[in-house]
Amino acid sequence: MALRLYNTLSLLTEEFQPADGKTVRMYSCGPTVYNFAHIGNLRTFTFNDTLRRWLQYRGFALHHVMNITDVEDKIIRKSMELGVPMGEYTQKYEKFFLEDMATLRLQQPEQIVRATEHIPEMVELIETLTSKGFTYESDGSVYYRISQFPEYGKLSHSDFSGIQAGARVDNDEYEKESARDFVLWKSRKGEEPAWEAPFGCGRPGWHIECSAMAMKYLGATLDIHTGGVDLAFPHHENEIAQSEGATGKPFARFWIHCEHLNVDMQKMSKSVGNIYTLRELMEMGHTPEALRFLLMSVPYRKKLNFTLESLKGAQTSIERLRNYELRLKTDHLAPGTNEQITELAAKALAKFEESMDDDLNTAEALAAVYEFVRETNSLMDQGAFLEGNRAAALDLLARFDSLFDVLQATRTEDGLDDAAIEALIAERTAAKKAKNFGRSDEIRSQLLEAGVTIEDTKDGVRWKRK
Ligand code: AMP
Ligand code: ZN
């Protein structure tokens, strides 16, 4: 079965192939670096990671570009309030964001690009739009005349044909009800950071950066464009108007939007004030793997209602899988192969892959793995799980983990965390029991390297950090 993805543009789940059959050219709207990312933002970036990993699993290469919005209304306001140069202010939060991505094991896009480093490309795009009659100036700012682009509204499936001509908006974000001609270039106000341009000194509006950077690195037509569901209007609608107005070609073949993370049924957002950050959760003792698992376990088009209970539940699920993996690796098994288990493994893998191919249904994919774990755990208890079944079961877990990436415990700054140390010690004990002294020595050295010394006593193994 081929991979199918839901396309906001067509409102259909369509079979996906990159245009050239090999490399997926993908663009994701990145963070606005004016504060720490909250776990709602991180849901959307975790979705990008899931999509990336599944495309790779399916054998495609990736050219994925993500932007960093480092000039925008909120950033300018905040940095001016603090009296800090804008670049210094944004650099700090960009660094925190990249650290959070790494902590959550999110793969880095092939290119991460900053808006402020692409002002000439934006100016050029605005000039192209002007030469084609899509813009007008007012009070030194440049606006996009949406009535010039008859397809305006095709992504958000709204009819804007009746809107009042010439009404304008300078804000970066607004509701569908207030669709207006939007700003491409804002004339300088006060001491705001600004750049020289043929149409006056000023700064770009928010929407132009994504059109300019996506087309610079990926060409006129992308395979996939992603973002959170709140970006479909106006941001992505405006990106389409800008890009297609300039090139006359379709901007993105697939538009994929990740649903929101809610708290108490309300969207998590900085303006509502109901936010958690990854760092806060870790300070409370939660692991990044638990958050990663929780964010991934709900299919990306479903709303996710976040609770601390569900985060604890995610940790328990991970522990269960880790224990199963440890058992698989270390249990002494009778020789032979149980054909029933061979079949169960094949069935579980097929269900796992079919579910992911079905618009990344991570919940069903997980269910397939759980079912296999449950069934084979009890077969192990009965002694019916044989040596010849080990490889297929480990292969299923490895495939699962190439996507979910939660089986390895996070190493803390001073080496391994307690759970990881305990797991290694249990593995060493089992290896010694199985007379696999090569492995048991290897584990002892690994622990030593991480600053953990162990002592075999008659009551079992004791360990301490150096
Ligand atoms: P921002 O840093 O505000 O530009 O947002 C970065 C990304 O997070 C965008 O793709 C947003 O659509 C997405 N986003 C914002 N709030 C949420 C939320 N509560 N749940 C999921 N994604 C969100
Ligand atoms: Zn964007």
Side-chain angles (χ1 to χ4, degrees):
M1 260 302 223
L3 169 59
R4 281 153 294 125
L5 296 169
Y6 183 81
N7 189 347
T8 310
L9 192 59
S10 63
L11 301 177
L12 296 171
T13 304
E14 299 174 50
E15 202 170 305
F16 175 78
Q17 279 276 342
D20 74 359
K22 290 198 281 283
T23 304
V24 180
R25 283 165 310 116
M26 174 155 117
Y27 184 89
S28 300
C29 292
T32 305
V33 283
Y34 74 104
N35 208 329
F36 288 98
H38 59 65
I39 60 171
N41 301 134
L42 293 176
R43 179 186 192 195
T44 291
F45 297 112
T46 304
F47 152 71
N48 288 335
D49 179 75
T50 308
L51 176 58
R52 278 186 61 95
R53 289 181 189 236
W54 195 251
L55 290 167
Q56 287 166 35
Y57 188 103
R58 280 307 185 209
F60 300 122
L62 277 167
H63 184 179
H64 180 199
V65 176
M66 182 177 78
N67 69 305
I68 301 269
T69 298
D70 60 353
V71 50
E72 169 270 3
D73 296 350
K74 294 187 289 278
I75 292 176
I76 293 174
R77 202 177 55 235
K78 290 255 182 187
S79 59
M80 285 174 71
E81 269 167 24
L82 293 172
V84 181
M86 186 173 76
E88 198 177 298
Y89 181 76
T90 54
Q91 228 172 32
K92 179 169 121 188
Y93 289 106
E94 176 185 311
K95 181 171 159 282
F96 290 142
F97 175 77
L98 295 176
E99 284 171 9
D100 286 352
M101 269 190 90
T103 307
L104 265 187
R105 306 179 187 185
L106 306 184
Q107 290 185 349
Q108 284 238 352
E110 281 63 33
Q111 278 176 294
I112 296 184
V113 292
R114 298 189 188 99
T116 51
E117 290 169 7
H118 295 79
I119 304 289
E121 286 85 349
M122 297 184 218
V123 168
E124 196 186 317
L125 183 55
I126 295 171
E127 290 202 286
T128 304
L129 287 169
T130 300
S131 71
K132 297 194 172 188
F134 285 101
T135 71
Y136 61 92
E137 281 189 44
S138 173
D139 295 334
S141 294
V142 184
Y143 294 86
Y144 189 104
R145 192 190 300 279
I146 60 176
S147 59
Q148 280 297 107
F149 187 71
E151 291 177 74
Y152 194 81
K154 70 177 174 181
L155 182 68
S156 49
H157 304 280
S158 315
D159 181 7
F160 295 119
S161 55
I163 69 153
Q164 193 193 340
R168 297 181 294 272
V169 22
D170 285 339
N171 297 344
D172 286 329
E173 290 168 76
Y174 47 89
E175 303 295 319
K176 262 189 233 175
E177 296 64 43
S178 45
R180 299 278 192 280
D181 292 345
F182 60 91
V183 71
L184 296 166
W185 189 260
K186 303 193 195 198
S187 65
R188 185 174 201 186
K189 283 178 204 69
E191 291 304 301
E192 279 184 4
W195 289 263
E196 286 301 333
F199 30 80
C201 182
R203 63 173 171 106
W206 172 39
H207 312 293
I208 195 75
E209 68 183 62
C210 290
S211 286
M213 294 190 280
M215 294 198 293
K216 170 170 180 170
Y217 295 107
L218 299 169
T221 304
L222 327 173
D223 289 309
I224 300 179
H225 194 311
T226 75
V229 67
D230 57 322
L231 298 190
F233 187 89
H235 184 53
H236 292 162
E237 198 73 72
N238 293 350
E239 282 189 38
I240 291 178
Q242 294 164 157
S243 300
E244 300 190 3
T247 67
K249 295 182 185 146
F251 179 40
R253 297 170 53 231
F254 281 71
W255 285 89
I256 308 185
H257 291 104
C258 179
E259 246 307 337
H260 276 148
L261 177 145
N262 291 338
V263 184
D264 300 328
M265 301 305 172
Q266 235 192 333
K267 176 186 163 189
M268 178 174 285
S269 84
K270 284 160 200 156
S271 52
V272 181
N274 59 350
I275 65 169
Y276 283 109
T277 64
L278 173 61
R279 285 152 207 261
E280 280 165 357
L281 293 175
M282 285 172 71
E283 271 162 29
M284 290 161 75
H286 299 284
T287 67
E289 303 95 272
L291 181 62
R292 178 178 169 87
F293 187 91
L294 175 63
L295 296 178
M296 281 186 74
S297 61
V298 176
Y300 76 93
R301 286 206 297 131
K302 287 215 160 75
K303 285 199 167 53
L304 189 166
N305 192 44
F306 177 82
T307 62
L308 291 173
E309 277 315 302
S310 55
L311 193 57
K312 282 190 209 134
Q315 186 67 34
T316 309
S317 302
I318 295 173
E319 301 296 347
R320 210 179 301 138
L321 291 167
R322 284 181 186 163
N323 288 337
Y324 176 75
E325 187 191 32
L326 184 64
R327 194 173 179 194
L328 259 188
K329 283 186 172 159
T330 55
D331 261 20
H332 194 72
L333 302 172
T337 303
N338 180 337
E339 290 307 328
Q340 184 205 349
I341 295 175
T342 307
E343 260 172 52
L344 283 179
K347 221 177 72 190
L349 180 58
K351 166 111 186 291
F352 176 79
E353 292 181 342
E354 276 162 26
S355 305
M356 288 306 295
D357 280 344
D358 179 15
D359 196 28
L360 312 180
N361 192 335
T362 46
E364 288 288 320
L366 257 182
V369 173
Y370 282 160
E371 193 180 325
F372 179 78
V373 169
R374 198 170 46 244
E375 284 170 337
T376 53
N377 246 330
S378 58
L379 289 165
M380 273 187 220
D381 294 341
Q382 296 159 25
F385 194 102
L386 305 178
E387 185 56 50
N389 296 116
R390 215 192 282 265
L394 282 170
D395 178 62
L396 178 68
L397 274 194
R399 286 169 186 267
F400 154 81
D401 210 40
S402 71
L403 185 70
F404 279 79
D405 201 354
V406 292
L407 292 181
Q408 280 285 334
T410 295
R411 283 159 187 266
T412 55
E413 260 167 30
D414 52 337
L416 299 166
D417 71 14
D418 290 1
I421 294 170
E422 301 281 357
L424 279 169
I425 289 175
E427 188 183 345
R428 175 174 169 272
T429 307
K432 275 174 74 177
K433 220 160 98 193
K435 304 221 181 313
N436 182 354
F437 298 113
R439 179 68 188 136
S440 66
D441 286 348
E442 197 177 282
I443 293 170
R444 179 189 277 272
S445 334
Q446 187 185 344
L447 287 166
L448 266 178
E449 231 168 80
V452 178
T453 50
I454 52 179
E455 189 192 342
D456 292 303
T457 72
K458 65 177 187 336
D459 303 320
V461 182
R462 279 209 215 114
W463 63 268
K464 62 172 190 294
R465 294 180 206 275
K466 268 196 268 183

